[in-house]
Amino acid sequence: MNITEWRTYLVTAAERSAGRSTAEVVAAALDGGVDVVQLRDKGVSDRERYETGLRVRELTAAAAVPLLVNDRIDLAAAIDADGVHLGQSDLPVAVARDRLGESAVVGVSASTVDQAREAEAAGADYLGVGAVYGTDSKDVSGDRDGIGTERIAAVADAVDLPVVGIGGIDASNAAPVVEAGATGVAALSAITAASDPTAATEALRAAVAE
Amino acid sequence: MNITEWRTYLVTAAERSAGRSTAEVVAAALDGGVDVVQLRDKGVSDRERYETGLRVRELTAAAAVPLLVNDRIDLAAAIDADGVHLGQSDLPVAVARDRLGESAVVGVSASTVDQAREAEAAGADYLGVGAVYGTDSKDVSGDRDGIGTERIAAVADAVDLPVVGIGGIDASNAAPVVEAGATGVAALSAITAASDPTAATEALRAAVAE
């Protein structure tokens, strides 16, 4: 799987999906051409995330789009996801690699150059870097005040890994993130809470392609 | 491993350990002769639970005492624990069995006869049944008002699995739980918050042996 081709990255957020199920939102984003999906859905039980994950796995597999799981290596294995995305205080990259195999994708959240270098040394396949813009979302790890696109540039310079910008990103502000050196952008509520998640995904794709 | 010989079962609680580390409390309980340890430690990061788990694994292995992990199949695999303990809204028993292997111990929390039968049908190795006595601990799944020893007897009658009573149990009230049909009793703060966890474990063992 070529991670450098991930332009638009959906992170699910059950609690901010305007009453729609995560499966509905994912289906709409797939229709809009999203490149990768991360199942996050904080605040629901493990069993519920597992049931949702099985449905989202079917949808993403049918669309030939990779599926990652936030934090949980066991859940990733249980739903046959393509990998996991780990935060700074989650289980180590080596544990994910050991449990999921060499071909699994392991992403790591980093908000500083030091964290990015550490994650690269630990064997991460890509970095989620943010929050790029200020956000009050607890769904974004790291500095919520906004690290800015300068930090995206500094991280992209410091490591050889694909960098996905995350945090406060929508179609209106995505282009500078990519211009700064990110290979793609992640969206949470810009897609999940949109009145039309398909259109929101298409708008984000267009903004990144510019 | 003979689960029917588990008389005293420690569930760790980092936040109610009187300022001691979980590793310290586990070491003291092992000195007191505890039969099995479950790493729970809610409210700390996955990384911290992993680091603690590696230390607790060393201690329990040296004492030849089984170690289980609450909820997390990935953490159990990462620290080479002997199994997991799953709540009603955690990942299914079949996922744990699939990831950890046939020889792993998989326990399930049940507070009713129906839940106990379901867990038995799903392939659980033992049941944690409670809360036996009223407890305000969020660490105990199920009915916190106290299901009473009558429910322990009903569950023990209904299934062929070992039953571990949990919830509000200490040396003063452990005997009726075993008399009702439990093979053992689990303690949280009765051991973790005790001024002397070794003595508290010994007292619990004595109460159960009576």
Side-chain angles (χ1 to χ4, degrees):
Chain A
M1 151 172 1
N2 195 343
I3 300 171
T4 59
E5 291 173 4
W6 291 354
R7 297 283 175 266
T8 53
Y9 180 130
L10 168 65
V11 180
T12 71
E15 73 288 7
R16 285 180 294 135
S17 294
R20 296 169 297 221
S21 73
T22 285
E24 281 177 272
V25 170
V26 168
L30 291 169
D31 283 346
V34 79
D35 295 313
V36 53
V37 174
Q38 179 193 129
L39 179 69
R40 194 157 188 168
D41 282 13
K42 297 274 186 193
V44 306
S45 75
D46 287 358
R47 185 68 68 100
E48 192 174 337
R49 231 170 358 149
Y50 170 69
E51 307 284 354
T52 296
L54 291 173
R55 287 196 293 276
V56 168
R57 172 72 290 185
E58 285 175 22
L59 295 168
T60 51
V65 161
L67 173 64
L68 309 177
V69 172
N70 183 258
D71 296 358
R72 294 288 298 262
I73 300 166
D74 44 5
L75 183 56
I79 67 170
D80 195 27
D82 300 288
V84 284
H85 186 89
L86 302 171
Q88 287 287 317
S89 56
D90 291 330
L91 291 173
V93 171
V95 169
R97 192 68 72 201
D98 185 47
R99 303 309 306 173
L100 299 176
E102 284 305 314
S103 64
V105 174
V106 182
V108 171
S109 296
S111 45
T112 66
V113 167
D114 282 352
Q115 287 177 352
R117 288 193 171 123
E118 263 177 47
E120 184 173 45
D125 293 309
Y126 77 92
L127 302 176
V129 180
V132 178
Y133 300 116
T135 175
D136 56 4
S137 168
K138 287 183 184 163
D139 279 352
V140 174
S141 303
D143 188 341
R144 294 189 192 110
D145 285 342
I147 57 173
T149 53
E150 303 78 9
R151 187 77 61 78
I152 292 286
V155 168
D157 271 356
V159 297
D160 283 329
L161 298 177
V163 166
V164 176
I166 186 169
I169 300 176
D170 58 28
S172 76
N173 61 16
V177 182
V178 176
E179 283 157 16
T183 49
V185 295
L188 293 87
S189 53
I191 293 177
T192 65
S195 57
D196 182 342
T198 301
T201 306
E202 287 167 347
L204 193 65
R205 284 181 64 199
V208 171
E210 250 173 38
Chain B
M1 160 170 354
N2 195 343
I3 300 172
T4 58
E5 290 173 3
W6 291 354
R7 297 283 176 265
T8 54
Y9 180 130
L10 169 66
V11 180
T12 70
E15 73 288 10
R16 287 180 293 136
S17 294
R20 296 168 297 220
S21 72
T22 286
E24 281 176 272
V25 170
V26 168
L30 291 170
D31 283 345
V34 78
D35 295 312
V36 53
V37 175
Q38 179 192 129
L39 179 70
R40 195 158 189 167
D41 282 13
K42 297 274 186 193
V44 306
S45 75
D46 288 357
R47 186 68 67 98
E48 191 174 338
R49 228 165 6 143
Y50 172 67
E51 307 285 353
T52 296
L54 292 173
R55 286 196 294 277
V56 168
R57 173 72 291 184
E58 285 176 22
L59 295 168
T60 51
V65 162
L67 173 64
L68 308 177
V69 172
N70 184 258
D71 296 358
R72 294 290 298 264
I73 299 166
D74 46 5
L75 183 57
I79 67 170
D80 195 26
D82 299 288
V84 284
H85 186 90
L86 302 171
Q88 287 287 318
S89 57
D90 291 331
L91 291 173
V93 170
V95 169
R97 191 69 70 201
D98 185 47
R99 304 310 305 173
L100 299 176
E102 284 305 313
S103 64
V105 174
V106 182
V108 170
S109 296
S111 44
T112 65
V113 167
D114 281 353
Q115 288 178 350
R117 288 193 171 122
E118 264 177 45
E120 184 174 44
D125 294 309
Y126 77 91
L127 302 176
V129 180
V132 178
Y133 300 115
T135 175
D136 56 4
S137 169
K138 288 182 185 164
D139 279 352
V140 174
S141 304
D143 188 341
R144 294 190 191 109
D145 286 341
I147 56 173
T149 53
E150 303 77 11
R151 188 76 61 79
I152 292 286
V155 168
D157 271 356
V159 297
D160 282 330
L161 298 175
V163 166
V164 176
I166 186 168
I169 300 176
D170 59 27
S172 75
N173 60 17
V177 181
V178 176
E179 282 157 16
T183 48
V185 294
L188 293 87
S189 54
I191 292 176
T192 65
S195 57
D196 182 342
T198 301
T201 306
E202 288 167 346
L204 194 64
R205 284 181 66 199
V208 171
E210 252 172 35

